[in-house]
Amino acid sequence: MRESVTLTLDEKTIAAAKEKAAANDRSLVSYLEQVVTKEIHASDASHFSVLAPENVRESEPVRFPDDTDKEFERRNNLLSAILDVSGH
Amino acid sequence: MADTKPPFQPGQFVWSSFPYDENPLRPGPKEHVAYIADVRKMPDGSLLAVCFYTTSQAWTRSEKPPLGIIPIDEAMATALGQKSFVIDVKRIAYIPINKEFFSRIDTPDKGILPRRATKQLQNAILNTVAKLLKRPEYIIQLGPYRPPQGLGR
């Protein structure tokens, strides 16, 4: 069954989606349709976070002056590992 | 956005609008003290905080707390200017460091509580993260920068 879904996206999200669509050689609408369908099938319709243009996976850890090598590595390794476990 | 010096550091406790489950991508309606687990930089130079939830419900029960819950004893809580509370490491928010999520960021203390977690407590928290990695089903990820949800790996 095909249902209609209305999404309201801000300019930043649209710009990022356009970039990702172009990178995948898709039109914006086609790209969004694919992403939304995938998300609905994978989870439930209330979560569209996959549309967010950026997420923590794209970020880099910040090192602080009082971090030892060991502390920085351990914090980064453990908190990065959390990202690799499946979310809800 | 230009690179900015992080206002927060891991181990600090900060007043935040920690997102709620009901609206996981938006600031929560009430201020909560969050534990800053990490600070990360996005490709545009903006900063995000990886935060753990805290709740003022003191852990007074004699039994061991469940996985992910770290009780903060009265002495430490008093040093932080708080009553006893618990850190819930299972509840993680990935949120931008801005006024929307940290409403006190423009104040002199930026909403940071006076004492940072000791290195011992920071280690205990990371030890709990390590244990949680074996039970990922307990982890709840919130905030606009949380990793995509439900897609599995």
Side-chain angles (χ1 to χ4, degrees):
Chain A
M1 186 175 67
R2 193 178 175 94
E3 290 188 26
S4 160
V5 175
T6 302
L7 296 176
T8 304
L9 305 175
D10 62 30
E11 285 179 13
K12 195 177 171 188
T13 305
I14 291 172
K18 275 182 181 170
E19 270 183 30
K20 290 187 180 179
N24 287 286
D25 202 22
R26 306 286 295 272
S27 72
L28 176 62
V29 170
S30 157
Y31 171 75
L32 290 176
E33 189 175 57
Q34 178 198 9
V35 171
V36 171
T37 304
K38 190 175 173 187
E39 177 78 349
I40 289 172
H41 284 179
S43 176
D44 68 71
S46 64
H47 294 152
F48 290 104
S49 61
V50 74
L51 291 177
E54 297 161 330
N55 70 64
V56 63
R57 286 187 201 281
E58 297 167 58
S59 66
E60 290 176 4
V62 172
R63 181 163 182 165
F64 291 86
D66 67 342
D67 277 332
T68 64
D69 289 347
K70 196 176 165 187
E71 284 169 348
F72 177 69
E73 272 178 34
R74 183 162 190 250
R75 184 174 76 234
N76 188 38
N77 289 343
L78 284 170
L79 294 173
S80 295
I82 289 264
L83 304 180
D84 291 334
V85 299
S86 57
H88 287 235
Chain B
M1 188 186 293
D3 283 4
T4 44
K5 189 183 169 198
F8 307 139
Q9 291 185 40
Q12 288 178 327
F13 293 91
V14 179
W15 285 104
S16 75
S17 299
F18 202 98
Y20 285 18
D21 294 14
E22 296 79 15
N23 201 353
L25 307 182
R26 303 290 308 154
K30 194 176 152 189
E31 273 196 312
H32 265 274
V33 173
Y35 173 80
I36 303 292
D38 202 8
V39 174
R40 300 179 67 94
K41 189 184 285 185
M42 296 302 291
D44 67 357
S46 63
L47 297 168
L48 75 96
V50 181
C51 305
F52 296 144
Y53 188 74
T54 74
T55 174
S56 55
Q57 191 179 350
W59 189 264
T60 51
R61 282 164 271 181
S62 55
E63 72 263 33
K64 201 176 159 188
L67 178 61
I69 299 293
I70 300 178
I72 302 300
D73 63 32
E74 202 172 330
M76 174 75 180
T78 302
L80 289 164
Q82 301 291 304
K83 292 180 180 170
S84 298
F85 64 97
V86 302
I87 302 173
D88 185 350
V89 179
K90 306 186 302 301
R91 196 167 285 270
I92 308 170
Y94 301 89
I95 52 182
I97 299 181
N98 61 23
K99 207 168 177 178
E100 203 180 0
F101 282 92
F102 297 95
S103 64
R104 305 189 194 195
I105 198 163
D106 291 337
T107 65
D109 66 9
K110 302 182 179 75
I112 303 169
L113 298 193
R115 283 271 298 271
R116 193 175 172 187
T118 60
K119 290 282 181 186
Q120 190 182 15
L121 177 57
Q122 290 182 50
N123 272 327
I125 291 168
L126 288 177
N127 290 342
T128 301
V129 170
K131 287 178 190 165
L132 272 173
L133 287 171
K134 295 172 187 164
R135 301 300 302 270
E137 68 274 20
Y138 288 166
I139 298 169
I140 297 169
Q141 293 171 314
L142 305 162
Y145 287 150
R146 68 179 179 173
Q149 302 292 288
L151 298 179
R153 281 179 61 94

